[in-house]
Amino acid sequence: MLPTFFVAHGTPSLVIEQHAYTEFLQKLARSIPIPKAIVLFSAHWESGVQKISAAIQPEMIYDFKGFSEKLYSMEYPAKGDLTLSLHIEQLFLEEGIRCELDDERGLDHGAWAPLMIMYPDAQIPVVVLSVNPRLTAEEHYRIGAALGPLRDEGVLILGSGGTVHNLRRLDRNNPVPQVWAVEFDEWLAEQLETWNLEALIRYDERAPNVREAVPTPEHFVPLLLALGAADTTRRAKLLHHSFQMGTLSLCCWMFGGKKRH
């Protein structure tokens, strides 16, 4: 059974950067079995109904402006997996979760940026799932839990977003992590490590500095989705944590991994 992961995708330029976090992502991919397919919840695909990508050959989506020209010629030619998309649809329907297949959606940078670092050869099929920021945290957890059976089928489930993600509070001239950002991530770590669902589903009320750390929920909810997918093996471990530009949290959480003896 594969664990699930939440990976911060940082800025679009992450894919051309070289630092401790990108090195970590490369090593992470080599440390786990090669998955048969990857299912990824992307913070950059928002929809009112749960969407499931079903394109045979997803196209690249360059959903950003003002970055290096090199990024706009990036290609990640991973194929889709229609059989898996239909399987996911069935898993959702069995749990009463409304969903729709989308055979036109491509790969946004929330998907291709971390995947390009982790699996640069693009040989593993990828199915991307949308997020609905209007749902409650409890509903996100339930959506993730519906996909738990995929872990036994050799499918890697990733949530791609960011815990502290406030673009207005970035400070490009000050790499020192801001106190309020660190406090939020520390609170989150305590709740995840103890699998405190009561607190997590009410993070927007209980977490310190939540209005600054999570001004909008779309980047945070992929964590809840990845967490829910590991509901049957409730173990959480922080594998990497660093900051860029003072407030942009680059963290990776593993959920449902094996216990250490």
Side-chain angles (χ1 to χ4, degrees):
M1 176 182 289
L2 287 173
T4 71
F5 296 90
F6 170 78
V7 293
H9 61 244
T11 68
S13 60
L14 181 74
V15 73
I16 57 174
E17 295 171 0
Q18 291 185 334
H19 45 63
Y21 183 55
T22 57
E23 290 177 7
F24 160 78
L25 289 177
Q26 292 167 355
K27 292 178 181 178
L28 175 64
R30 295 194 295 266
S31 72
I32 60 176
I34 298 174
K36 294 180 180 177
I38 297 170
V39 170
L40 184 147
F41 286 97
S42 174
H44 286 270
W45 187 11
E46 297 181 40
S47 65
V49 175
Q50 180 64 58
K51 294 291 187 72
I52 307 163
S53 71
I56 302 302
Q57 184 67 67
E59 296 182 354
M60 295 287 282
I61 301 175
Y62 306 101
D63 51 336
F64 48 84
K65 295 179 180 179
F67 287 86
S68 168
E69 287 299 320
K70 185 185 300 184
L71 295 174
Y72 301 93
S73 60
M74 291 284 183
E75 293 291 336
Y76 191 73
K79 296 186 181 299
D81 186 332
L82 182 57
T83 299
L84 178 56
S85 298
L86 292 168
H87 183 27
I88 292 170
E89 179 185 39
Q90 186 59 36
L91 289 173
F92 282 148
L93 293 177
E94 288 173 359
E95 295 299 323
I97 298 168
R98 290 182 58 222
C99 61
E100 296 176 355
L101 296 174
D102 187 326
D103 61 5
E104 296 183 356
R105 179 71 183 189
L107 301 176
D108 57 63
H109 84 270
W112 59 257
L115 292 179
M116 197 173 290
I117 298 170
M118 296 174 69
Y119 298 103
D121 61 6
Q123 295 299 304
I124 303 171
V126 177
V127 173
V128 182
L129 304 181
S130 67
V131 300
N132 181 354
R134 291 175 288 281
L135 297 180
T136 66
E138 190 170 12
E139 288 171 319
H140 287 120
Y141 187 90
R142 177 171 165 255
I143 289 171
L147 299 186
L150 295 178
R151 298 172 57 207
D152 283 321
E153 301 171 19
V155 175
L156 178 61
I157 299 173
L158 301 176
S160 172
T163 53
V164 180
H165 189 273
N166 187 335
L167 300 184
R168 293 185 177 182
R169 296 299 302 271
L170 297 180
D171 187 348
R172 300 179 187 278
N173 299 315
N174 183 11
V176 178
Q178 298 298 296
V179 172
W180 62 266
V182 173
E183 287 179 346
F184 177 85
D185 266 355
E186 287 180 343
W187 177 90
L188 180 62
E190 181 179 349
Q191 313 318 313
L192 290 171
E193 288 169 353
T194 57
W195 213 277
N196 187 352
L197 283 181
E198 181 184 0
L200 288 166
I201 64 176
R202 297 178 64 186
Y203 78 93
D204 55 341
E205 300 173 3
R206 295 192 179 185
N209 313 312
V210 68
R211 296 292 172 261
E212 291 180 293
V214 189
T216 55
E218 77 288 337
H219 275 75
F220 187 80
V221 297
L223 181 142
L224 297 171
L225 292 156
L227 184 73
D231 180 68
T232 58
T233 45
R234 296 185 172 190
R235 292 185 291 272
K237 182 178 181 181
L238 181 61
L239 301 182
H240 178 93
H241 191 206
S242 57
F243 280 90
Q244 282 185 323
M245 296 175 282
T247 67
L248 186 63
S249 179
L250 298 179
C251 64
C252 176
W253 281 92
M254 177 175 67
F255 304 122
K258 293 181 180 179
K259 290 183 179 179
R260 287 189 173 183
H261 298 290

